[in-house]
Structure formats: structure tokens, C-alpha cells
Amino acid sequence: MRQLPEVDVVIAVHDEARPIERATASALRNARNVRVTVVAHGIDEASVAGRLGTLADDERVRILELRDGIASPAGPFNLGLDEATGRFTSVLGSDDELEAGAIDSWLALADRASADAVIARLRHAGGRAVPTPPARPLRSRHLHPVRDRLAYRSAPLGLVSREHFGDVRFAVGLPSGEDLPYVTRVWYSGRPVAYDRRGPAYLIHGGAGRVTQTARAIAAEFAAVDSVLSDPAFAGLPRAQRESLVVKLVRVQLFGAVSNRSSTDSWTIEERGALAAAAARLLATAPGAERVLSRADRALLDAILDGGVPTPRLIDLSHRRRRRVSFDALVPRDLSRVLSVDGPLRFSAASALALR
């Protein structure tokens, strides 16, 4: 009888045109014991098997079928996690792949560091590195959620311990951001987290059919954020951890909602009101967190909160904050926070170093 896998890799696929044979084969290019579960989401198992070819006959590969009628990867990923028996689980996008030996490298680090989660190194298939999380230079084990800015890794790519996180699942019923509550639970759990920052990478492919950033209604876009903020586990976090998470949500989710809508036609009075309400909810959960933001960020935040600011001005401020080397982008309005770990100077330096 074949022994239980050390790692259960889950791949969710909703379209048989996806290159799942590439993703599956890449997960098997490891010496350690790995099982790949491909979840056919809303499509026939037979069509997935046909796409996999001879890989479908590999004893390390299994295909599950899910028809839940929900256009979200949460369901198929959760089914794969439900059926996992390995020491660790890992999720892999159907468009993506792993460099040879990636899982071996993650497991070796997990064993050396006694880690319950290992963060994978990310790289675009074209070669460019992805600088998340912007952790402390050279730091690879016993990462700290605040000092190593773990919130900026918003997907659980790498390894996650079943023993300690076997009950954590992707959020269902969300139009996007289903992995945000998941990673928040893991990164802020207090369990040991390691970062394989020099090992074989998780490769992100940008195929023509890949889902891209799409502007949804503000209420829908912030449903995942609300899920995190309403979680009792978030309320129980130390103040510094709540502040670090809120700063990330402001920079990425809140400001991203503006940058994704660069046309005045994208905004209505109702959407501006919803955006202001989302910003107010964020700030209320960690009062004072905004003090670490740059002058440019604070100007945009002020405009978001003030629904009376003309929309062209809001869009202009969004463009201005992305001028990364300007004085306003590098210095906070509150100069006492100029050297804060989440302040723009240290954050920008850590992000630059993460690209090397």
C-alpha cells in the first residue's frame, strides 16, 4: 500500500482549456512524497483526465469533481483540503507551475525551522520576482507578522500544516478575495512561519484566459475585508498586529479600489459613499494606524473619506501616490513615524531588497 503523502497539492480548474498538465507535472518534480488533487469545478472529470493525458494514470494524481454552481475557487480548493491527508497542504493555480524541486526545498526548510507554514518564493514566468512579503533582509525562519510584513502575501502559496491549520478554509460566498481570511488566520496565528526566499520558485503565468483585476461594486470588493475585520480572531490580535494588517488593507485593497477605476465614469455618488464607508470601517478597527502612511497616501485617504472631493481629484491623487521616489511618497505626515517598520522609507527599502 502506498504511504500517505507528505504534501497534498490542490489544483482547482474550471475550464479544460487550462494547462493543468503543466501545473500537475511541475508539482510531481520532487523527490519527496507528493500527491496532486485536481478538482474539476463545474466540468466533467473525464475532460480533465483527457487534458492530463498519461498523468491521469499516475498513482500520485487524483481527480475530484465538484458542481456547486458558484463561480469561486473557494469551493474546489476547500474540497481538496477536506480530502487531504498529508502533513502539509499546498495550493497551485491551474495556470501556474513550480520550478523543479520546489516542494522538496519547502519541506527541507519546514524541517530545519520546525515551521508550520512555509512561504514560497514567487516569480513571474518571464523572470521578474514578486517582492511579497517585503520581509526583513535575509530572514528565512521564525518570521514575525509585523516586522516581516506578512500581510502583503495575500495567497497561501507554499506549505500549510494540516495539524495546526487543518480546519482553516477559503471563505465561501465572496466574489473575490476568498484567500484573504485564510492567510490572515495563518500569518497572525503565532505559529512558526518560514520563507524559502532562495529556493526554487512558484512561477506565475499570465495566460490570456487568466482572471485579471476587475472592478466590481465597492460593497462586493470589500466583502473579503469585512470578513477579516468581523472575525473575532482579528479583534483579539495585539494592537500592533491589527495596525499592520489595516495599513496593508488601506494600501492594497482601499487604494487599489481607486487605481482600478481610473475613469470618472467608474464612479457614482453611491460608490463614493461606499468607498468612504469602507475606509472608515478600516480605520475604526485600528485607530491611528494611518499615521505611518506617506504624505501622498494620507492625501488620497483624506479624499476618500471626504465624499465632496471631486472624482477627478481623487483619481489624480491616486496617480500621485504611485510616484514612488517623490518626497511625498517617502515621508509620512507624522514625522515621528518616519522609521516605523510600516513607514514608507523602510517599506520601500524592504520591497526593493525583496526583488534581488
Side-chain angles (χ1 to χ4, degrees), residues 81-99:
L81 295 178
D82 291 343
E83 297 297 324
T85 58
R87 183 160 64 107
F88 291 97
T89 58
S90 184
V91 297
L92 176 58
S94 58
D95 291 319
D96 301 331
E97 67 177 314
L98 304 178
E99 289 186 327

Side-chain angles (χ1 to χ4, degrees), residues 198-270:
R198 292 291 179 264
Y202 180 113
L203 297 179
I204 302 169
H205 284 269
R210 193 180 183 98
V211 176
T212 57
Q213 289 280 6
T214 302
R216 299 176 173 85
I218 292 294
E221 195 159 323
F222 280 85
V225 173
D226 290 338
S227 178
V228 170
L229 300 182
S230 62
D231 188 336
F234 172 78
L237 292 176
R239 177 178 174 177
Q241 295 188 18
R242 282 186 282 113
E243 288 182 351
S244 73
L245 181 53
V246 165
V247 169
K248 179 268 180 181
L249 293 172
V250 168
R251 280 178 171 149
V252 178
Q253 273 71 28
L254 185 68
F255 293 164
V258 181
S259 63
N260 287 340
R261 297 166 176 80
S262 58
S263 168
T264 56
D265 294 338
S266 302
W267 293 99
T268 62
I269 294 174
E270 291 76 18

Side-chain angles (χ1 to χ4, degrees), residues 51-72:
R51 180 79 201 210
L52 288 173
T54 58
L55 287 170
D57 299 321
D58 192 308
E59 65 174 358
R60 298 169 295 173
V61 177
R62 64 179 175 181
I63 303 172
L64 303 178
E65 191 173 306
L66 175 67
R67 295 184 180 274
D68 60 1
I70 302 173
S72 167

Side-chain angles (χ1 to χ4, degrees), residues 7-11 19-30 34-36 89-106 119-123 125 156-159 196 199-205:
V7 180
D8 270 293
V9 178
V10 182
I11 302 173
I20 51 175
E21 70 281 2
R22 179 179 66 194
T24 301
S26 74
L28 297 175
R29 292 199 297 264
N30 290 276
V34 175
R35 174 171 60 194
V36 178
T89 58
S90 184
V91 297
L92 176 58
S94 58
D95 291 319
D96 301 331
E97 67 177 314
L98 304 178
E99 289 186 327
I103 294 177
D104 288 340
S105 182
W106 301 343
I119 297 173
R121 182 168 72 92
L122 300 186
R123 187 166 63 81
L157 304 177
L159 299 180
D196 192 18
Y202 180 113
L203 297 179
I204 302 169
H205 284 269

Side-chain angles (χ1 to χ4, degrees), residues 11 46 51 85 114 168 247 309 311 314 331 342:
I11 302 173
R51 180 79 201 210
T85 58
S114 299
V168 180
V247 169
V309 172
T311 296
L314 181 77
V331 177
D342 269 323

